[in-house]
Amino acid sequence: MFENMDLSKMGELFKNVQERAQEFENELAKKEFCAKSGGGLVKVSANGKGEIIDLSIDESLFDDKESLQILLISAINDALNMVNQNKQSMAGDILGGFKL
C-alpha cells in the first residue's frame, strides 16, 4: 500500500493540508447563502460555517403560526443545504489538489 510513497515527505504534506484547511475555513467565513420560502415571505441567510446570520419574516405571517413554522423550517433547511453543498464542493477542490 505504501510501496511508492516517500514517507519523508509526510510532514510537508501534513503542513500543506493544514494550510489548505485554514484557507478553507477563511473562505467559508466570507460566504453568505440566502434562501426564501413562501414567495419571499420568509428569508434566511447563513454564513459558510452554517450559522444563521439574518432572518426576515413578513408581518402577514404573524397571525398564522403554523404557516410561519413551515416556511421557517423550509427556508432554514434550504440555506443549510446550500452551505453543505458548498462545503462538499470546496473540500473536493482542496483534496483534489493533493497527489498522494
Side-chain angles (χ1 to χ4, degrees):
M1 177 176 172
F2 296 106
E3 307 83 42
N4 296 328
M5 189 174 206
D6 183 355
L7 296 179
S8 67
K9 294 185 180 182
M10 289 299 287
E12 183 180 332
L13 177 64
F14 286 128
K15 182 181 176 192
N16 288 339
V17 169
Q18 287 177 325
E19 289 172 359
R20 297 287 295 266
Q22 185 60 48
E23 291 171 15
F24 178 75
E25 287 295 319
N26 293 340
E27 285 296 315
L28 286 177
K30 295 177 190 175
K31 293 193 174 194
E32 186 174 318
F33 300 89
C34 299
K36 299 176 185 179
S37 62
L41 293 174
V42 173
K43 300 173 191 170
V44 174
S45 297
N47 64 19
K49 294 180 180 181
E51 300 166 335
I52 303 301
I53 56 174
D54 193 26
L55 174 65
S56 173
I57 301 169
D58 188 276
E59 290 183 22
S60 66
L61 291 171
F62 292 161
D63 294 328
D64 188 354
K65 181 180 176 182
E66 187 175 333
S67 292
L68 175 57
Q69 290 171 325
I70 291 167
L71 294 175
L72 271 171
I73 290 168
S74 177
I76 290 169
N77 285 336
D78 287 348
L80 295 179
N81 281 334
M82 286 184 231
V83 169
N84 287 331
Q85 288 175 354
N86 181 69
K87 282 182 183 180
Q88 289 175 355
S89 175
M90 286 180 68
D93 291 345
I94 288 172
L95 294 175
F98 289 107
K99 298 195 173 33
L100 299 177

